[in-house]
């Protein structure tokens, strides 16, 4: 059961070293931005692995310049996404990661620039709603609906995906973009308002509608 939205910080880093020819630049004199980035990525992974299960760190974008097979990389940019159940846990992890990055950059003679791309606080679910969900879960379990004998194999990917949301919001655009990028599938959109007094009833009606298809 989802209990809240994690605290999230997304940052961008640019490392500046010195480009050089792969055949003539001695190893001892290199200021390889990509090698520094690799060490930093491993350090971020290690910090997250040593933390609580809800702490995660992800480098999802990496850009190398000049990007030639025979040139020591002179500049690298990458993103870092850190999430945790609480703001405090996320910030402690970020502090450890930033310290490791600074140490690696100093050892390797690499310039480092950091910028914040997104900063979102943790948002726990309403306690009353969580209590209601827990009560409903126990009731369904008592009916035997979670018994292993009732379970059916789940396919790797659905053939058709139904989405209940606003047709003009950012959510549906992001869903469609990711599906086209990773797993192209037909999508059925059931348009509903996502805010206001009519939202709850409209979403409930859409769920019933999809169930009746």
């Amino acid at each position: 059961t989802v209990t809240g939205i994690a605290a999230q910080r997304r940052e961008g880093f640019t490392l500046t070293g010195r480009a050089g020819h792969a055949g003539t630049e001695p190893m001892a004199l290199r200021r390889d931005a990509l090698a520094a980035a690799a060490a930093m990525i491993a350090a971020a992974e290690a910090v997250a692995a040593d933390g609580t299960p809800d702490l995660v760190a992800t480098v999802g974008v990496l850009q190398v310049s000049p990007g030639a097979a025979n040139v020591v990389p002179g500049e690298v940019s990458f993103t870092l996404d850190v999430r945790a159940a609480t703001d405090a846990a996320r910030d402690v992890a970020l502090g450890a990661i930033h310290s490791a990055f600074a140490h690696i950059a100093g050892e390797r003679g690499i310039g480092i620039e950091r910028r914040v791309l997104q900063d979102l606080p943790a948002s726990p679910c309403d306690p009353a709603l969580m209590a209601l969900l827990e009560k409903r879960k126990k009731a369904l379990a008592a009916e035997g609906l979670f018994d292993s004998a009732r379970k059916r194999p789940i396919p790797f990917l659905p053939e058709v995906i139904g989405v209940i949301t606003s047709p003009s919001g950012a959510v549906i655009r992001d869903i469609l973009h990711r599906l086209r990028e990773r797993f192209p599938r037909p999508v059925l959109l059931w348009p509903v308002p996502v805010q206001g007094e009519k939202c709850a009833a409209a979403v409930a009606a859409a769920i019933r509608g999809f169930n009746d298809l």
Side-chain angles (χ1 to χ4, degrees), residues 46-196:
V47 169
D50 287 341
T52 56
D54 58 88
L55 174 64
V56 293
T58 305
V59 173
V61 176
L62 183 72
Q63 297 175 321
V64 181
S65 177
N70 63 339
V71 178
V72 177
E75 183 176 284
V76 170
S77 296
F78 64 89
T79 59
L80 173 69
D81 185 298
V82 177
R83 307 184 189 206
T86 66
D87 296 1
R90 176 204 59 187
D91 293 344
V92 168
L94 277 167
I97 291 172
H98 292 162
S99 178
F101 283 11
H103 178 73
I104 292 167
E107 275 195 330
R108 293 174 172 269
I110 300 294
I112 182 169
E113 176 187 340
R114 177 174 65 91
R115 57 199 180 280
V116 177
L117 305 177
Q118 185 167 283
D119 191 352
L120 300 174
S123 180
C125 291
D126 179 74
L129 176 61
M130 297 307 300
L132 179 62
L133 288 174
E134 188 63 28
K135 181 179 179 181
R136 181 62 57 88
K137 185 170 69 173
K138 289 180 179 178
L140 295 175
E143 294 179 28
L145 298 182
F146 298 148
D147 291 350
S148 57
R150 300 178 64 98
K151 294 182 179 180
R152 299 292 182 268
I154 299 176
F156 175 65
L157 289 173
E159 293 301 320
V160 179
I161 297 174
V163 180
I164 300 171
T165 189
S166 167
S168 59
V171 171
I172 188 61
R173 292 198 299 271
D174 188 51
I175 290 173
L176 294 176
H177 172 71
R178 295 303 175 195
L179 285 174
R180 284 194 298 266
E181 186 180 66
R182 300 177 183 177
F183 305 109
R185 285 294 184 274
V187 174
L188 295 179
L189 171 63
W190 198 300
V192 296
V194 294
Q195 295 180 346

